[in-house]
Amino acid sequence: MNGSFFNLYPCPPMHRLNIKADIGELSQLRKAVESLQSMETKVDCIVSNAGVLLNERKETSEGNEITYAVHLLGGSYLLPTLLYPQLQAAGSGARVVFVTSGGMYRKKFPSWPVAINDQSTEIKGEKIKYDGVDSYCYAKRAQVLLAERWAKERSDVTWVTGHPGWAGTDAVDDAFGDTKKYLEPLRSTWEGAEGLSWLMS
C-alpha cells in the first residue's frame, strides 16, 4: 500500500541493504527496524520521504488515517525514535532529513483531532470532514514542528527539513489531475532530489 525501503550504505565495505516495510503500518515498521538493528549498530542518516496524498479517507489496519500514519506517525516520529540509539552511535554527523512540502504553507497547524482526522471527535456536533490536501498539509507542517522540537531535545543528532518544490511526480498527477497545470512550472524529480541530497551530507 505505502511501501517504502530502508536503504543503508555503510562503508567500508560498501553494500546496500534493503528492508521493505509499509511505513504507515506501525507493527511492520517495528519489525523492519528490529531486523535492521540486528545487522547494524550505526545509522548515519534517515531520510523520511515516504508519503501519500489521497482524495478519499482511508485507514491503516491499525485504525490510523493513512496520510497522518505515513508522513508523521510512522515515517517521521516512530522510525527516528526507534533508531535513535543507532543515530547516536554514528556520532556527531548523524542526521535525520524530513522531506516536507511547500504545500504546508496553505494551512496553519490545527487542533490535534483535526490534524489526524480523528473520526471519534466531533466539532460543533459534526464529525471532522476529510480533505486529502488539508491532511497532507497538516502532516507536512507537523514534520517541520517536530524537527524544531527535536533539534532542541535531541541535539546530539542533526534534524533538518527540506522540500523539493513542486515536482512532476506520479503523486502530483494522481492528486491534482488536470489541475496540476496551476502548479507549473514543475521541477523534474532530479531537481527536486538535488537539494535534499545535499542535506544528507
Side-chain angles (χ1 to χ4, degrees):
M1 176 172 44
N2 305 304
S4 182
F5 286 93
F6 293 99
N7 289 314
L8 186 67
Y9 300 92
C11 12
M14 183 78 108
H15 70 278
R16 178 174 176 168
L17 173 65
N18 286 329
I19 303 172
K20 190 172 182 179
D22 186 327
I23 299 297
E25 298 288 344
L26 306 186
S27 58
Q28 282 189 39
L29 181 57
R30 289 179 187 278
K31 288 179 183 176
V33 168
E34 288 172 6
S35 179
L36 177 59
Q37 289 171 327
S38 72
M39 294 179 274
E40 301 292 342
T41 59
K42 298 179 182 179
V43 172
D44 296 295
C45 181
I46 297 172
V47 180
S48 294
N49 188 40
V52 63
L53 199 167
L54 302 174
N55 292 316
E56 294 181 10
R57 189 183 191 281
K58 296 181 181 178
E59 293 185 353
T60 67
S61 67
E62 296 159 320
N64 296 306
E65 190 275 318
I66 287 180
T67 307
Y68 156 68
V70 172
H71 289 273
L72 185 62
L73 183 58
S76 298
Y77 179 81
L78 185 59
L79 179 60
T81 296
L82 295 175
L83 288 173
Y84 190 53
Q86 285 70 38
L87 288 164
Q88 290 176 302
S92 61
R95 61 186 50 230
V96 177
V97 179
F98 294 141
V99 181
T100 186
S101 169
M104 75 171 194
Y105 295 122
R106 293 181 69 251
K107 297 281 182 175
K108 293 181 179 180
F109 194 76
S111 66
W112 187 248
V114 172
I116 67 171
N117 198 248
D118 181 0
Q119 293 296 288
S120 66
T121 300
E122 292 187 355
I123 296 178
K124 296 181 180 178
E126 294 185 2
K127 283 188 176 181
I128 298 168
K129 292 181 181 178
Y130 181 75
D131 183 298
V133 174
D134 285 353
S135 291
Y136 178 85
C137 294
Y138 300 148
K140 289 306 186 182
R141 185 169 287 281
Q143 287 178 312
V144 175
L145 297 172
L146 182 62
E148 289 176 352
R149 179 167 181 166
W150 279 353
K152 296 174 183 175
E153 296 179 358
R154 300 179 175 183
S155 58
D156 50 347
V157 171
T158 299
W159 305 87
V160 297
T161 57
H163 74 83
W166 287 107
T169 64
D170 292 342
V172 169
D173 289 344
D174 291 344
F176 292 96
D178 292 339
T179 64
K180 78 173 185 178
K181 63 186 178 186
Y182 298 111
L183 302 175
E184 293 177 354
L186 293 169
R187 306 180 82 198
S188 70
T189 51
W190 169 250
E191 289 170 330
E194 186 178 16
L196 298 170
S197 298
W198 181 82
L199 287 174
M200 295 167 57
S201 59

PDB file of all heavy atoms in Angstrom, residues 39-51:
ATOM      1  N   MET A  39      21.418  -6.214  12.405  1.00  0.00           N
ATOM      2  CA  MET A  39      22.527  -6.268  11.453  1.00  0.00           C
ATOM      3  C   MET A  39      23.468  -5.077  11.535  1.00  0.00           C
ATOM      4  O   MET A  39      24.625  -5.170  11.133  1.00  0.00           O
ATOM      5  CB  MET A  39      21.971  -6.371  10.028  1.00  0.00           C
ATOM      6  CG  MET A  39      21.242  -7.663   9.744  1.00  0.00           C
ATOM      7  SD  MET A  39      20.599  -7.712   8.059  1.00  0.00           S
ATOM      8  CE  MET A  39      19.022  -6.896   8.279  1.00  0.00           C
ATOM      9  N   GLU A  40      22.972  -3.946  12.017  1.00  0.00           N
ATOM     10  CA  GLU A  40      23.773  -2.723  12.011  1.00  0.00           C
ATOM     11  C   GLU A  40      23.706  -2.040  13.372  1.00  0.00           C
ATOM     12  O   GLU A  40      22.648  -1.952  13.976  1.00  0.00           O
ATOM     13  CB  GLU A  40      23.269  -1.751  10.935  1.00  0.00           C
ATOM     14  CG  GLU A  40      23.304  -2.301   9.520  1.00  0.00           C
ATOM     15  CD  GLU A  40      24.718  -2.508   9.003  1.00  0.00           C
ATOM     16  OE1 GLU A  40      25.676  -1.932   9.579  1.00  0.00           O
ATOM     17  OE2 GLU A  40      24.869  -3.237   8.009  1.00  0.00           O
ATOM     18  N   THR A  41      24.839  -1.524  13.810  1.00  0.00           N
ATOM     19  CA  THR A  41      24.896  -0.830  15.100  1.00  0.00           C
ATOM     20  C   THR A  41      24.830   0.679  14.947  1.00  0.00           C
ATOM     21  O   THR A  41      24.581   1.395  15.909  1.00  0.00           O
ATOM     22  CB  THR A  41      26.188  -1.192  15.848  1.00  0.00           C
ATOM     23  OG1 THR A  41      27.319  -0.825  15.032  1.00  0.00           O
ATOM     24  CG2 THR A  41      26.236  -2.691  16.160  1.00  0.00           C
ATOM     25  N   LYS A  42      25.050   1.173  13.718  1.00  0.00           N
ATOM     26  CA  LYS A  42      25.046   2.615  13.473  1.00  0.00           C
ATOM     27  C   LYS A  42      24.164   2.954  12.272  1.00  0.00           C
ATOM     28  O   LYS A  42      24.126   2.208  11.308  1.00  0.00           O
ATOM     29  CB  LYS A  42      26.464   3.121  13.196  1.00  0.00           C
ATOM     30  CG  LYS A  42      27.439   2.936  14.343  1.00  0.00           C
ATOM     31  CD  LYS A  42      28.816   3.442  13.942  1.00  0.00           C
ATOM     32  CE  LYS A  42      29.823   3.219  15.058  1.00  0.00           C
ATOM     33  NZ  LYS A  42      31.171   3.681  14.666  1.00  0.00           N
ATOM     34  N   VAL A  43      23.505   4.089  12.356  1.00  0.00           N
ATOM     35  CA  VAL A  43      22.763   4.649  11.223  1.00  0.00           C
ATOM     36  C   VAL A  43      23.194   6.109  11.108  1.00  0.00           C
ATOM     37  O   VAL A  43      23.013   6.890  12.041  1.00  0.00           O
ATOM     38  CB  VAL A  43      21.237   4.544  11.430  1.00  0.00           C
ATOM     39  CG1 VAL A  43      20.494   5.301  10.340  1.00  0.00           C
ATOM     40  CG2 VAL A  43      20.804   3.088  11.458  1.00  0.00           C
ATOM     41  N   ASP A  44      23.771   6.449   9.969  1.00  0.00           N
ATOM     42  CA  ASP A  44      24.287   7.805   9.771  1.00  0.00           C
ATOM     43  C   ASP A  44      23.209   8.811   9.383  1.00  0.00           C
ATOM     44  O   ASP A  44      23.288   9.986   9.751  1.00  0.00           O
ATOM     45  CB  ASP A  44      25.370   7.801   8.687  1.00  0.00           C
ATOM     46  CG  ASP A  44      26.574   6.976   9.099  1.00  0.00           C
ATOM     47  OD1 ASP A  44      27.253   7.359  10.070  1.00  0.00           O
ATOM     48  OD2 ASP A  44      26.807   5.928   8.469  1.00  0.00           O
ATOM     49  N   CYS A  45      22.225   8.358   8.618  1.00  0.00           N
ATOM     50  CA  CYS A  45      21.223   9.301   8.108  1.00  0.00           C
ATOM     51  C   CYS A  45      19.910   8.581   7.845  1.00  0.00           C
ATOM     52  O   CYS A  45      19.896   7.473   7.313  1.00  0.00           O
ATOM     53  CB  CYS A  45      21.729   9.950   6.816  1.00  0.00           C
ATOM     54  SG  CYS A  45      20.598  11.163   6.101  1.00  0.00           S
ATOM     55  N   ILE A  46      18.827   9.214   8.230  1.00  0.00           N
ATOM     56  CA  ILE A  46      17.479   8.761   7.877  1.00  0.00           C
ATOM     57  C   ILE A  46      16.843   9.858   7.028  1.00  0.00           C
ATOM     58  O   ILE A  46      16.870  11.034   7.405  1.00  0.00           O
ATOM     59  CB  ILE A  46      16.606   8.523   9.122  1.00  0.00           C
ATOM     60  CG1 ILE A  46      17.182   7.404   9.989  1.00  0.00           C
ATOM     61  CG2 ILE A  46      15.166   8.202   8.715  1.00  0.00           C
ATOM     62  CD1 ILE A  46      16.479   7.246  11.327  1.00  0.00           C
ATOM     63  N   VAL A  47      16.305   9.481   5.890  1.00  0.00           N
ATOM     64  CA  VAL A  47      15.539  10.420   5.075  1.00  0.00           C
ATOM     65  C   VAL A  47      14.086   9.964   5.104  1.00  0.00           C
ATOM     66  O   VAL A  47      13.743   8.912   4.585  1.00  0.00           O
ATOM     67  CB  VAL A  47      16.053  10.459   3.613  1.00  0.00           C
ATOM     68  CG1 VAL A  47      15.217  11.443   2.800  1.00  0.00           C
ATOM     69  CG2 VAL A  47      17.530  10.840   3.574  1.00  0.00           C
ATOM     70  N   SER A  48      13.262  10.746   5.759  1.00  0.00           N
ATOM     71  CA  SER A  48      11.833  10.416   5.871  1.00  0.00           C
ATOM     72  C   SER A  48      11.099  11.014   4.675  1.00  0.00           C
ATOM     73  O   SER A  48      10.711  12.183   4.682  1.00  0.00           O
ATOM     74  CB  SER A  48      11.263  10.950   7.189  1.00  0.00           C
ATOM     75  OG  SER A  48      11.842  10.284   8.273  1.00  0.00           O
ATOM     76  N   ASN A  49      10.926  10.182   3.643  1.00  0.00           N
ATOM     77  CA  ASN A  49      10.346  10.654   2.396  1.00  0.00           C
ATOM     78  C   ASN A  49       9.094   9.873   1.996  1.00  0.00           C
ATOM     79  O   ASN A  49       8.473  10.184   0.993  1.00  0.00           O
ATOM     80  CB  ASN A  49      11.392  10.577   1.266  1.00  0.00           C
ATOM     81  CG  ASN A  49      10.912  11.220  -0.013  1.00  0.00           C
ATOM     82  OD1 ASN A  49      10.281  12.257   0.004  1.00  0.00           O
ATOM     83  ND2 ASN A  49      11.195  10.583  -1.138  1.00  0.00           N
ATOM     84  N   ALA A  50       8.743   8.847   2.756  1.00  0.00           N
ATOM     85  CA  ALA A  50       7.528   8.087   2.422  1.00  0.00           C
ATOM     86  C   ALA A  50       6.322   9.001   2.531  1.00  0.00           C
ATOM     87  O   ALA A  50       6.220   9.807   3.460  1.00  0.00           O
ATOM     88  CB  ALA A  50       7.381   6.894   3.372  1.00  0.00           C
ATOM     89  N   GLY A  51       5.426   8.909   1.572  1.00  0.00           N
ATOM     90  CA  GLY A  51       4.283   9.801   1.619  1.00  0.00           C
ATOM     91  C   GLY A  51       3.141   9.362   0.729  1.00  0.00           C
ATOM     92  O   GLY A  51       3.280   8.461  -0.091  1.00  0.00           O
TER      93      GLY A  51
END
